Structures are given as C-alpha cells and as structure tokens.
Amino acid sequence: MGKKKERPYKVFKIEKGTVIDHIPAPKGLLVLEVLGKKNDGIVSIGLNFDSQKVGKKDLIKFENKIIDKEETDKIALIAPEATINIIENGEVVEKRSIDVPQEITGFLNCLNPNCVVNRENLQPHFEVVEEGPVKLRCKYCERVWEVKYDMVENKRK
Ligand SMILES: [Zn+2]
C-alpha cells in the first residue's frame, strides 16, 4: 500500500439537522434502528470515537431532520448519556437535554413469548424501574428487561 492519504473529514458536517453525540459504543446502531433510517438527507454514523466522557462513543448525524420529543425519549431509554444538538445554518441552536421517561408505550416489545402482549397482539407498555442502565418492567407480565436490539419494533417484519 502507498502512503496514507489524509482524510478530508472525520465527520460529515451538516448545515441543518440533528447531531446525537456521546452515545456509548456500541449503542449507535441501536439508536439508529430505533429512530429509523428514512431521512430527507444524509444520515451519517461514526462508531468508536475516543471520548473523555464515555470511553468509546458513537455519533449520528441526521441532515435536515429535527428530532421530536418522542424520538428524544427513545434515545433516552437506550443512551441516557447521549447529547443532542440541533443545528441550523451550520451552528448549534439548541442543546436538548435528555430525560428518561417514566414509561413508554408502543415501540419496544416484551421478549417474553408467553406474555399476553405477544399472544394477543396488544400495545406494549413498560414502566422504567432503573435508569443506569435503563431497565423496564412490562406492565403485563412484570418481567424486567434492559433495552436491547431484539426489543426494537422496527425489526419486526
Ligand atoms: Zn411482558
């Protein structure tokens, strides 16, 4: 191989959109899965950056997308350490704080195959019982889960 070329940029810069930073690695892909990949612009993801705050971190940038409260809550369940910056005209116009919600309905699945929520196709409903890492109790079967990839509804075919 020839000599190392200088990289033109480490991370794609956006004029407008949302930057989700300080996602503890390797949760970046899970956050992306939860938010969905459809976007009216470039979605860039960087994995395994060095971070003083969280050791190794992942980072996601959504060009043109301003995330809403519901999406912020979803991020909070997976990566409460993350920071969210809203960008307009190339500058940070809002640093959004992340609060772990008390409960969450409808986007995560209970992993208990015998849970009534799965047998009768009900709307999943969880209560947050711990915040670091987040643990959720299913309102139906009362089993407690840490948020993981299998619980994300977008995965369901
Ligand atoms: Zn359950």
Side-chain angles (χ1 to χ4, degrees), residues 111-125:
L111 295 180
N112 173 5
N114 296 318
C115 180
V116 68
V117 82
N118 293 319
R119 281 189 283 115
E120 297 185 13
N121 212 14
L122 304 173
Q123 170 105 305
H125 191 165

Side-chain angles (χ1 to χ4, degrees), residues 31-93:
V31 171
L32 187 62
E33 187 69 34
V34 159
L35 296 182
K37 296 167 197 117
K38 271 194 200 133
N39 190 42
D40 168 33
I42 291 173
V43 179
S44 54
I45 178 161
L47 304 175
N48 270 335
F49 291 92
D50 287 316
S51 159
Q52 297 203 322
K53 193 178 165 195
V54 293
K56 290 279 184 189
K57 70 173 184 179
D58 298 340
L59 178 149
I60 305 172
K61 294 192 178 195
F62 285 97
E63 186 184 34
N64 297 334
K65 176 189 178 87
I66 308 297
I67 65 165
D68 61 23
K69 168 81 173 96
E70 201 189 323
E71 290 170 316
T72 306
D73 282 351
K74 290 177 179 180
I75 297 166
L77 291 175
I78 295 162
E81 307 88 340
T83 54
I84 297 175
N85 291 331
I86 308 297
I87 314 290
E88 301 258 16
N89 300 316
E91 303 199 357
V92 177
V93 292

Side-chain angles (χ1 to χ4, degrees), residues 110 112 115-117 138 140-143 145:
C110 180
N112 173 5
C115 180
V116 68
V117 82
C138 175
Y140 296 94
C141 70
E142 302 202 320
R143 297 241 325 239
W145 308 98

Side-chain angles (χ1 to χ4, degrees), residues 132-146:
V134 174
K135 289 192 178 149
L136 304 169
R137 178 164 51 220
C138 175
K139 284 270 200 178
Y140 296 94
C141 70
E142 302 202 320
R143 297 241 325 239
V144 174
W145 308 98
E146 243 181 76

Side-chain angles (χ1 to χ4, degrees), residues 80-110:
E81 307 88 340
T83 54
I84 297 175
N85 291 331
I86 308 297
I87 314 290
E88 301 258 16
N89 300 316
E91 303 199 357
V92 177
V93 292
E94 185 191 338
K95 285 186 180 287
R96 192 168 294 181
S97 61
I98 289 194
D99 294 309
V100 178
Q102 296 291 298
E103 50 187 3
I104 189 97
T105 305
F107 95 98
L108 295 168
N109 299 309
C110 180

